[in-house]
């Protein structure tokens, strides 16, 4: 709910960011208060849009002095309502969107937190370097949001998630102090690794204003293929064979179920299917390397997999256009869930070796609990990360199905925990998974998290109510 702000606060904020940097008109607030999927809407008295770190610090100090809670916001593409306000002042980083420097020799880029992810990728490419984070929302999410959610995406298998891609951070603390940790060092053993506190903290410990990120040699060749899998156990063998056989040039191994490919064909593009052969699951695989290094390896490795009975058919892209068409299969399969009816979202991780057990056990229990349910496990199998989304039975009442969210997600999470996994692999905790944290993390872990929050934000002014379960 929107709280009345202390008198004069809006004027003080306007003095810091200028009139263009302050939004208060109700009709202009909705892009910041509405969650992307449209399921939830929050409230805010104001959106503040600073243009540099000193402005962020001054805004935070002003709000903190007045005891007013704040919420940092990037591209608002997060999927767990972490950036959804509940009466807080929104501090939007969108106007802090500059690449500050590219140090090609140090394979590093320094950027404002509000830089769009795709712009960072482009800046790296212009210097013959790769910034490997890649995900569906890359045209609108910001690097600060990627850091705050420890985003993963399609290339984690080879390059790691944001924790592994970060060398240094600049952060405005909840009392308005600036911590300048923008060091581009690969080795720095000088006490606690403070940047890791803020990565994945979902804006609850401070506002990330800048970052030094790792770059890599720009791959010049990609070999991309789609294989019809014999089964889930065979998928694991294929995964290991591709890693070993390519000298670890494997950069993607994405699972696509026939359930989703069929829906993509019906709802998105009738020509999306690249193989005539049908299978219950397909793997989209990609090798990447500097010029020439993978020459024809993928076709050879998939040929060997065919002979060993791991796959029943495969195709390898012969041009960049065909490569894009294969990646389109992955994107269209994701998009196809929307027109297929109500869908319960899950984003879980287990050790890679337990993925087949996970899928078999979850599918069996869900079918018993909800006959006709269409589980669509897909995504980053190479990281043990499955987007285990559940589509409503055909003809079922969407609202009645969605009302079973906790029950059906509970089945998935229980099996995930049993296999030593995580109920949130990529998307974080935010608001919607906050109470789940209480069930699946020990009291010791939660108490440690509370201690960190208390130490950095003792007045609970920075994105309150997110991540940590409410006190009992
Ligand atoms: C189509 C689509 C595909 C996606 N695919 C993936 C995927 O493959 N892998 C994956 O990991 N995620 C994926 N995501 C979710 C992903 O985490 C977010 O898209 C992205 O990382 C969030 O960035 P954002 O700028 O939109 O942050 P927001 O949504 O604005 O914020 C997310 C959280 O970060 C905090 N925050 C934002 N900026 C800052 C800052 N500067 N300092 C401190 N805290 C901040 C917010 O308070 C909030 O808690 C996907 C989302 C979509 C819509």
């Amino acid at each position: 709910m929107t709280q009345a702000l202390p008198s004069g606060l809006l004027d003080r904020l306007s003095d810091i960011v200028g009139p263009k940097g302050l939004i208060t008109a109700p009709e202009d607030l909705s892009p910041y208060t509405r969650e992307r999927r449209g399921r939830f809407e929050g409230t805010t008295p104001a959106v503040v849009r600073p243009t540099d770190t000193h402005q962020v610090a001054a805004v935070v100090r002003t709000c903190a002095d007045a005891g007013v809670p704040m919420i940092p916001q990037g591209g608002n593409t997060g999927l767990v309502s972490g950036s959804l306000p509940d009466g807080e002042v929104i501090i939007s980083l969108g106007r802090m969107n500059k690449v500050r420097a590219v140090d090609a020799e140090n394979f590093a880029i320094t950027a404002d937190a509000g830089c769009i992810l795709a712009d960072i990728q482009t800046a790296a490419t212009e210097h013959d370097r790769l910034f490997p984070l890649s995900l569906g929302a890359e045209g609108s999410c910001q690097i600060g949001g990627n850091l705050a959610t420890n985003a993963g995406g399609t290339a984690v298998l080879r390059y790691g998630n944001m924790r592994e891609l970060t060398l240094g951070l600049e952060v405005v603390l909840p009392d308005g102090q600036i911590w300048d940790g923008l060091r581009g060092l690969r080795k720095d053993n000088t006490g606690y690794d403070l940047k890791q506190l803020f990565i994945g903290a979902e804006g609850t410990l401070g506002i990330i204003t800048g970052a030094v990120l790792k770059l890599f040699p720009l791959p010049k060749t990609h070999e991309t293929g789609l294989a019809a899998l014999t089964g889930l156990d065979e998928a694991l063998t294929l995964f290991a064979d591709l890693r070993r056989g390519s000298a670890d040039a494997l950069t993607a191994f994405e699972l696509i179920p026939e359930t989703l490919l069929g829906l993509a064909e019906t709802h998105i593009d009738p020509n999306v299917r690249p193989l005539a052969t049908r299978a219950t699951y397909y793997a989209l695989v990609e090798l990447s390397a500097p010029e020439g290094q993978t020459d024809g390896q993928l076709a050879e490795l998939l040929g060997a997999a065919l002979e060993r009975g791991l796959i029943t058919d495969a195709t390898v892209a012969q041009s960049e256009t065909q490569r894009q068409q294969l990646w389109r299969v992955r994107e269209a399969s994701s998009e196809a869930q929307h027109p297929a009816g109500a869908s319960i979202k899950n984003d879980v991780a287990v050790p890679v070796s337990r993925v087949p057990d996970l899928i078999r056990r979850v599918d069996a229990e869900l079918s018993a609990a909800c006959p006709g349910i269409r589980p669509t496990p897909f995504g980053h199998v190479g990281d043990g990360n499955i987007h285990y989304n559940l589509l409503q039975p055909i003809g079922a009442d969407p609202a009645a199905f969605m009302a079973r969210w906790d029950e059906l997600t509970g089945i998935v999470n229980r099996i995930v925990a049993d296999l030593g996994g995580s109920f949130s692999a990529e998307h974080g905790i935010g608001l919607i998974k906050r109470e789940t944290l209480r069930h699946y993390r020990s009291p010791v872990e939660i108490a440690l998290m509370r201690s960190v929050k208390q130490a950095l934000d003792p007045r609970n002014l920075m994105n309150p109510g997110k991540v940590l379960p409410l006190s009992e």
Side-chain angles (χ1 to χ4, degrees), residues 75-95:
N76 204 12
T77 68
L79 298 174
V80 289
S81 302
S83 59
L84 198 72
D86 183 20
E88 299 90 1
V89 166
I90 294 176
I91 301 178
S92 166
L93 281 291
R95 290 209 295 172

Side-chain angles (χ1 to χ4, degrees), residues 36 71-79 81-83 93 113-114 134-137 140-154 198 201-204 206-209 330 380 387 426-427 430 463 466:
R36 185 179 176 276
I71 177 166
Q73 195 175 90
N76 204 12
T77 68
L79 298 174
S81 302
S83 59
L93 281 291
S134 175
L135 47 88
S140 49
C141 64
Q142 299 174 8
I143 201 68
N146 302 144
L147 284 156
T149 56
N150 184 28
T154 53
F198 300 98
E202 301 181 53
T204 59
I207 303 185
I208 299 168
T209 49
R330 164 75 170 77
H380 321 304
H387 297 308
E426 291 198 309
H427 299 160
N463 208 357
K466 305 292 166 43

Side-chain angles (χ1 to χ4, degrees), residues 34-245:
R34 189 168 301 153
E35 194 235 13
R36 185 179 176 276
R37 286 170 177 159
R39 287 183 60 220
F40 306 108
E41 174 131 29
T43 57
T44 185
V47 177
V48 192
R49 303 178 69 228
T51 53
D52 64 35
T53 303
H54 292 284
Q55 284 194 4
V56 175
V59 167
V60 170
R61 226 173 9 252
T62 304
C63 288
D65 287 350
V68 169
M70 301 153 259
I71 177 166
Q73 195 175 90
N76 204 12
T77 68
L79 298 174
V80 289
S81 302
S83 59
L84 198 72
D86 183 20
E88 299 90 1
V89 166
I90 294 176
I91 301 178
S92 166
L93 281 291
R95 290 209 295 172
M96 288 183 61
N97 55 8
K98 290 184 205 58
V99 170
R100 298 189 195 174
V102 177
D103 185 347
E105 285 76 30
N106 193 33
F107 284 77
I109 185 167
T110 306
D112 284 348
C115 258
I116 300 289
L117 172 57
D119 293 342
I120 294 190
Q121 295 165 344
T122 304
T125 308
E126 283 166 4
H127 288 77
D128 198 29
R129 298 289 182 265
L130 172 76
F131 181 63
L133 184 74
S134 175
L135 47 88
E138 64 197 22
S140 49
C141 64
Q142 299 174 8
I143 201 68
N146 302 144
L147 284 156
T149 56
N150 184 28
T154 53
V156 173
L157 168 61
R158 172 79 167 280
Y159 300 101
N161 51 25
M162 281 308 286
R163 284 196 193 284
E164 281 104 10
L165 295 175
T166 308
L167 294 172
L169 283 189
E170 179 187 73
V171 179
V172 171
L173 302 176
D175 62 1
Q177 289 186 82
I178 299 171
W179 170 54
D180 181 354
L182 283 179
R183 292 183 280 266
L185 301 175
R186 273 142 222 276
K187 293 191 173 179
D188 180 15
N189 279 340
T190 52
Y192 302 135
D193 189 353
L194 295 176
K195 64 179 179 298
Q196 294 297 349
L197 281 180
F198 300 98
I199 300 172
E202 301 181 53
T204 59
L205 300 178
I207 303 185
I208 299 168
T209 49
V212 189
L213 306 166
K214 285 185 195 169
L215 300 179
F216 296 82
L218 188 65
K220 299 289 163 53
T221 61
H222 298 284
E223 294 187 20
T224 310
L226 188 95
L229 295 162
T230 312
L232 290 168
D233 293 314
E234 288 80 1
L236 280 193
T237 313
L238 176 66
F239 172 64
D241 283 3
L242 291 180
R243 281 195 79 171
R244 206 177 32 234

